């Protein structure tokens, strides 16, 4: 039982520590303010920040003997009773400011009803408050608690709402208007009822004069002034509220639904404010662009396109930015819950299984039409543009997102091993054993796909996403916490490094070259994804300190546009987010270091052989011992590089033409050689 003799009543220490709630605070990883847990339109201010004339206006109107009584004003009770009897009705109340504090603080959520029992509890609490707090402390609580209409609690919020300025800037006339509101906040608001509000304000001014707070002349002067009401209503902390906060609130509700009962709790998230703001902007901009793309294709769009973004630390799993979609369909977080086909963004797991089986980025595969038997049927997958270029390395196959090559590799290593690679990395959604799953014909959420890329960038460790670090009460008491979950080794670090090397090629010269075209520099690896009929577009990309994924499509699946692709519509949003929301920490600009136990070779990226003297392109590649190439390139030789048409330098031919002529000669030599 509490101090008032009933269950749920506060203790004396709770009375002393009480502070009107502002809705709780949600902060980012650097303790920067993100938003409120619950929307309470209140801003607490200390008593000395409230002008004396504002305090006096409330005292004159609500409790003129506040500093003389002990919480129960017997004179006021007798006076109010006599007035009510004289007018045969309730014309005056006798609640003191202290009684209103008791009623609007500790009893506000109690279900005692309008009963004698509740009144007795209120009176008992009033005496306790008077014994534990000074008069100034009680008045401060009152001025921060009192409801003043339009959803505003306390004088600071009401002042911002009505007058567009803080309470410490109010004139006597404006302060009196605030004090006029408690009797009937909706009835006397000057925004809706200006004449009635002015009459009530003038009554407050006369009461202030009667009690000696201002002179009669000052009261008359203030009463003659018009009220200038702010045109725009004040809405705290919601205009540009981060799109991630709905997910944070949902998590709080699932782990500590009673958090706000502990007062103004603080929720410490893993989010990064700069990254989150950039993510919000990037997704909202790109959903508009995707919708426009659909319209340009001649389609009628009944709903706007949607998007999702997840960015997390690949070393810890801490979520740095999160966008579950536009503000529509509140409560449905697409980053967490929307299951969509990833298309080619699933291919890295095919190649991870290949690395585990002993293949390398330099292993050759045919990029030619392929057939796979499925029972009595034959499946003939085609490349995105129906173009094929012959025998290429696995690295090249992933860079150009060859479907034919990915299917061949998956058939070589076995679909069960591809599934196993995806499962180890963190894909938990159902995965079919059909051959088409190698091309992403499965359904996953953006969160699990992004988290499953983390082992590629962190040396083979599976991470567990974390959004909230801890929740603390107003006094710093720890209410709940989530430590970083231990990472599990799910890949050979050497395989992870090779996958990263291959995915860097996707960004540097493959289907995600848009990332470089938009100005992103430094080490970046990633993969685009486009589903059949261009229904979904993806890009999952990572750096040494961040792995992020974006998805765009429609809630009701439909083609975006005939030639929509992840490189064209998803990668730009990733680049936009990354360039404007993330800064790589010092030391990460050098990229990924090869793990111990690897052998470096310089190869010809065209054929995977050791680069010879005459190879036009050369690339440093790392291999597990025993898998490195041993043959020197026999395709590019000195003879092959001799010009067929040796145009003398003395002949004044422009360089482009000279190079073209020599290039034709090289092409002819290749044709006749093969």
């Amino acid at each position: 039982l509490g101090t008032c003799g009933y269950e749920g009543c506060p203790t004396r220490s709770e009375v002393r520590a009480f502070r009107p709630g502002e809705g709780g605070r949600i902060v980012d990883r650097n303790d920067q303010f993100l938003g409120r847990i619950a929307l309470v339109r209140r801003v607490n201010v200390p008593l000395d920040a409230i002008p004396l004339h504002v305090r006096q206006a409330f005292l004159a109107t609500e409790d003129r003997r506040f500093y003389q009584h002990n919480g129960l004003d017997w004179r006021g009770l007798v006076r109010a009773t006599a007035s009510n009897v004289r007018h045969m009705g309730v014309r005056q109340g006798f609640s003191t400011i202290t009684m209103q504090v008791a009623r609007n603080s500790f009893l506000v959520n109690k279900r005692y009803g309008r009963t004698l029992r509740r009144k007795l509890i209120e009176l008992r609490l009033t005496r306790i408050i008077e014994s534990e707090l000074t008069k100034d402390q009680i008045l401060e609580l009152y001025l921060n608690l009192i409801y003043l209409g339009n959803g505003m609690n306390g004088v600071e919020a009401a002042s911002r709402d009505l007058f567009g300025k803080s309470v410490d800037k109010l004139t006597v006339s404006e302060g009196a208007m605030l004090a006029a509101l408690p009797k009937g906040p909706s009835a006397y608001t000057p925004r809706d009822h200006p004449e009635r509000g002015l009459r009530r304000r003038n009554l407050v001014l006369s009461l202030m004069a009667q009690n000696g707070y201002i002179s009669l002349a000052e009261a008359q002067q203030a009463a003659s002034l018009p009220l200038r009401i702010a045109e725009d209503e004040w809405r705290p902390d919601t205009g540009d509220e981060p799109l991630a906060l709905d997910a944070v609130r949902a998590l709080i509700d699932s782990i500590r639904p009673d958090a706000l009962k502990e007062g103004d709790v603080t929720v410490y998230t893993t989010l990064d404010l700069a990254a989150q703001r950039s993510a919000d902007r990037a997704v909202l901009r790109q959903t508009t662009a995707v919708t426009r793309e659909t319209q340009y294709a001649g389609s009628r769009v009944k709903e706007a396109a949607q998007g999702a973004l997840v960015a997390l630390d690949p070393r810890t799993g801490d979520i740095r930015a999160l966008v579950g979609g536009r503000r529509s369909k509140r409560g449905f977080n697409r980053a967490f819950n929307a299951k969509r086909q990833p298309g080619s963004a699933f291919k890295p797991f095919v190649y991870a299984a290949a690395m585990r089986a002993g293949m390398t980025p330099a292993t050759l595969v045919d990029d030619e039409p392929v057939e796979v038997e499925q029972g009595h049927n034959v499946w003939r997958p085609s490349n995105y543009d129906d173009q094929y270029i012959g025998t290429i390395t696995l690295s090249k196959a992933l860079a150009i997102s060859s479907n034919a090559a990915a299917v061949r590799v998956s058939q070589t290593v076995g679909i069960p091993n591809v599934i196993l690679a995806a499962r180890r990395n963190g894909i938990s959604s159902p995965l079919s054993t059909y051959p088409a799953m190698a091309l992403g014909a499965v359904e996953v959420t953006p969160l699990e796909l992004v988290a499953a890329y983390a082992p590629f960038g962190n040396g083979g460790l599976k991470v567990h996403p974390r959004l909230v670090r801890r929740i603390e009460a107003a006094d710093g008491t720890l209410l709940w916490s989530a430590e970083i979950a231990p990472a599990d080794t799910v890949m050979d670090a050497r395989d992870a490094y090779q996958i990263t090397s291959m995915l860097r090629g996707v960004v540097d010269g493959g289907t995600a070259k848009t990332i470089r075209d938009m100005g992103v520099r430094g080490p970046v690896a990633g993969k685009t994804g486009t589903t059949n009929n261009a229904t979904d577009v993806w890009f999952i990309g990572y750096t040494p300190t961040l792995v992020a994924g974006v998805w765009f499509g429609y809630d009701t699946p439909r083609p975006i546009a005939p030639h929509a692709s992840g490189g064209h519509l998803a990668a730009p949003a990733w680049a936009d987010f990354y360039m404007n929301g993330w800064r790589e920490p010092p030391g990460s600009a050098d990229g990924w270091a090869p793990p111990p136990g690897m052998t470096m070779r310089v190869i010809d990226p065209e054929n995977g052989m050791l680069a010879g003297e005459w190879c036009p392109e050369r690339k440093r590649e790392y291999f597990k011992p025993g898998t490195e190439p041993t043959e020197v390139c026999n395709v590019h030789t000195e003879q092959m590089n001799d010009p067929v048409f040796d145009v003398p330098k003395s002949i004044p031919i422009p360089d482009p033409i000279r190079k073209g002529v020599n290039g034709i000669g090289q092409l002819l030599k290749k044709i006749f050689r093969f």
Side-chain angles (χ1 to χ4, degrees):
L1 296 182
T3 54
C4 59
Y6 292 95
E7 185 177 355
C9 288
T11 64
R12 291 181 178 274
S13 61
E14 288 173 334
V15 169
R16 291 192 297 271
F18 177 77
R19 177 178 171 83
E22 294 182 10
R25 300 169 63 246
I26 302 174
V27 300
D28 80 342
R29 64 175 181 143
N30 299 311
D31 297 345
Q32 295 189 76
F33 180 79
L34 292 172
R36 296 288 176 190
I37 302 171
L39 183 57
V40 177
R41 295 184 174 94
R42 173 186 287 119
V43 179
N44 289 316
V45 289
L47 189 64
D48 58 11
I50 302 172
L52 179 60
H53 66 80
V54 174
R55 294 179 246 164
Q56 291 171 337
F58 278 91
L59 291 171
T61 309
E62 294 294 313
D63 190 354
R64 63 184 182 183
R65 297 189 64 253
F66 172 70
Y67 280 98
Q68 284 74 51
H69 62 64
N70 62 355
L72 305 178
D73 185 5
W74 298 109
R75 289 189 194 176
L77 172 59
V78 172
R79 184 176 61 254
T81 302
S83 176
N84 293 338
V85 170
R86 187 166 59 252
H87 292 93
M88 301 297 291
V90 179
R91 298 294 297 271
Q92 291 187 22
F94 65 91
S95 290
T96 64
I97 281 178
T98 312
M99 291 170 69
Q100 292 184 60
V101 169
R103 185 183 311 137
N104 293 315
S105 55
F106 303 106
L107 296 181
V108 69
N109 293 319
K110 304 303 181 184
R111 297 180 179 177
Y112 299 125
R114 297 176 63 86
T115 63
L116 177 61
R117 177 190 180 199
R118 180 186 177 94
K119 199 63 181 179
L120 291 173
I121 296 173
E122 180 183 311
L123 294 174
R124 174 63 178 151
L125 266 177
T126 297
R127 299 300 297 272
I128 294 170
I129 291 171
E130 285 279 345
S131 67
E132 296 297 327
L133 303 177
T134 67
K135 284 290 187 177
D136 281 353
Q137 289 173 325
I138 297 170
L139 183 60
E140 179 180 303
L141 283 178
Y142 170 78
L143 293 173
N144 284 307
L145 278 169
I146 191 68
Y147 179 68
L148 296 173
N150 201 29
M152 303 300 158
N153 297 274
V155 294
E156 176 66 15
S159 178
R160 295 186 189 186
D161 179 59
L162 277 178
F163 305 114
K165 55 186 175 182
S166 294
V167 68
D168 62 354
K169 303 294 193 301
L170 293 185
T171 65
V172 171
S173 172
E174 292 165 339
M177 187 65 251
L178 287 190
L181 293 172
K183 182 177 176 62
S186 60
Y188 294 113
T189 175
R191 180 173 277 132
D192 298 329
H193 307 287
E195 293 184 3
R196 192 187 303 165
L198 281 176
R199 287 197 299 269
R200 178 68 182 169
R201 177 206 64 177
N202 294 345
L203 174 61
V204 173
L205 289 170
S206 67
L207 291 173
M208 292 177 70
Q210 289 177 24
N211 285 274
Y213 295 134
I214 58 176
S215 67
L216 182 59
E218 289 173 324
Q220 292 172 341
Q221 168 67 20
S224 68
L225 297 175
L227 286 174
R228 292 182 173 84
I229 305 303
E231 293 183 6
D232 298 323
E233 299 180 13
W234 179 64
R235 290 293 180 267
D237 308 321
T238 59
D240 58 349
E241 181 179 270
L243 295 175
L245 293 196
D246 283 347
V248 175
R249 293 182 184 114
L251 180 59
I252 296 168
D253 192 55
S254 68
I255 57 180
R256 282 302 299 259
D258 60 343
L260 284 178
K261 292 181 180 179
E262 303 290 342
D264 273 342
V265 302
T266 300
V267 178
Y268 295 86
T269 72
T270 61
L271 298 168
D272 181 280
L273 179 57
Q276 183 62 48
R277 285 176 173 166
S278 181
D280 291 346
R281 290 191 298 267
V283 170
L284 292 177
R285 273 197 290 258
Q286 200 63 12
T287 52
T288 301
V290 171
T291 304
R292 191 182 303 119
E293 190 91 3
T294 306
Q295 293 170 334
Y296 286 166
S299 300
R300 298 180 64 183
V301 181
K302 294 182 179 179
E303 59 173 341
Q306 282 287 355
L309 182 149
V310 182
L312 53 82
D313 187 324
R315 301 157 299 185
T316 64
D318 282 356
I319 296 175
R320 299 303 184 207
L322 174 68
V323 180
R326 302 165 70 101
R327 285 267 182 226
S328 63
K329 287 194 177 181
R330 188 175 182 86
F332 181 65
N333 189 303
R334 292 161 190 81
F336 286 173
N337 302 315
K339 292 203 168 188
R340 306 296 287 248
Q341 290 194 1
S344 295
F346 190 82
K347 287 177 182 174
F349 305 112
V350 173
Y351 291 92
M355 299 301 105
R356 186 180 177 90
M359 297 184 190
T360 75
T363 298
L364 297 178
V365 62
D366 289 333
D367 177 36
E368 297 288 357
V370 62
E371 296 182 350
V372 179
E373 293 186 3
Q374 296 187 98
H376 298 293
N377 300 316
V378 176
W379 178 48
R380 297 182 177 87
S382 61
N383 284 350
Y384 174 73
D385 53 3
D386 288 322
Q387 299 294 314
Y388 303 87
I389 58 177
T391 303
I392 55 177
T393 64
L394 294 194
S395 186
K396 179 73 171 180
L398 187 56
I400 65 173
S401 201
S402 166
N403 287 341
V407 169
R408 281 193 167 87
V409 172
S410 69
Q411 291 297 301
T412 300
V413 300
I415 292 295
N417 286 322
V418 174
I419 293 176
L420 183 60
R423 286 270 181 259
R424 279 194 298 259
N425 276 35
I427 298 295
S428 57
S429 293
L431 298 175
S432 68
T433 57
Y434 295 116
M437 67 87 62
L439 303 183
V442 296
E443 291 187 338
V444 298
T445 67
L447 176 65
E448 66 179 314
L449 188 58
V450 168
Y453 267 62
F456 299 147
N458 67 20
L461 302 176
K462 177 182 176 180
V463 299
H464 304 276
R466 184 176 69 151
L467 180 58
V468 173
R469 294 174 286 152
R470 67 185 188 276
I471 302 174
E472 290 184 358
D475 62 359
T477 301
L478 182 65
L479 303 177
W480 181 89
S481 67
E483 301 302 321
I484 296 174
D488 305 315
T489 300
V490 293
M491 289 185 71
D492 186 318
R494 299 170 298 179
D495 292 344
Y497 182 82
Q498 289 182 315
I499 292 295
T500 292
S501 174
M502 296 166 71
L503 290 176
R504 294 183 74 170
V506 176
V507 173
D508 292 337
T511 58
K513 190 175 181 295
T514 304
I515 299 294
R516 296 303 189 199
D517 293 340
M518 290 186 66
V520 177
R521 299 292 176 259
V524 181
K527 185 70 187 75
T528 55
T530 309
T531 59
N532 287 339
N533 301 319
T535 299
D536 304 271
V537 292
W538 299 75
F539 179 70
I540 315 296
Y542 59 97
T543 72
T545 64
L546 192 76
V547 54
V550 289
W551 162 86
F552 295 98
Y554 289 88
D555 281 340
T556 302
R558 54 155 300 155
I560 294 172
H563 298 291
S565 68
H568 172 52
L569 290 177
W574 191 98
D576 184 0
F577 155 70
Y578 181 78
M579 292 181 68
N580 296 299
W582 192 254
R583 296 291 181 271
E584 293 290 325
S588 62
D590 297 333
W592 295 272
M598 299 196 79
T599 301
M600 192 276 288
R601 293 289 185 269
V602 178
I603 67 168
D604 184 327
E606 182 180 310
N607 52 47
M609 304 174 76
L610 295 174
E613 181 182 357
W614 302 100
C615 289
E617 293 183 68
R618 307 162 72 85
K619 181 183 178 183
R620 291 159 59 97
E621 196 70 79
Y622 287 82
F623 301 87
K624 289 182 284 188
T627 66
E628 67 272 15
T630 56
E631 294 185 44
V632 177
C633 175
N634 56 15
V635 177
H636 303 104
T637 64
E638 181 176 8
Q639 289 182 335
M640 287 290 294
N641 283 276
D642 287 340
V644 174
F645 306 115
D646 189 8
V647 182
K649 293 281 187 181
S650 60
I651 299 178
I653 298 177
D655 284 344
I657 295 178
R658 185 187 304 277
K659 290 179 181 178
V661 171
N662 289 336
I664 292 172
Q666 294 295 333
L667 178 62
L668 289 173
K669 180 165 284 190
K670 286 186 179 181
I671 291 173
F672 286 113
R673 184 175 189 276
F674 291 104

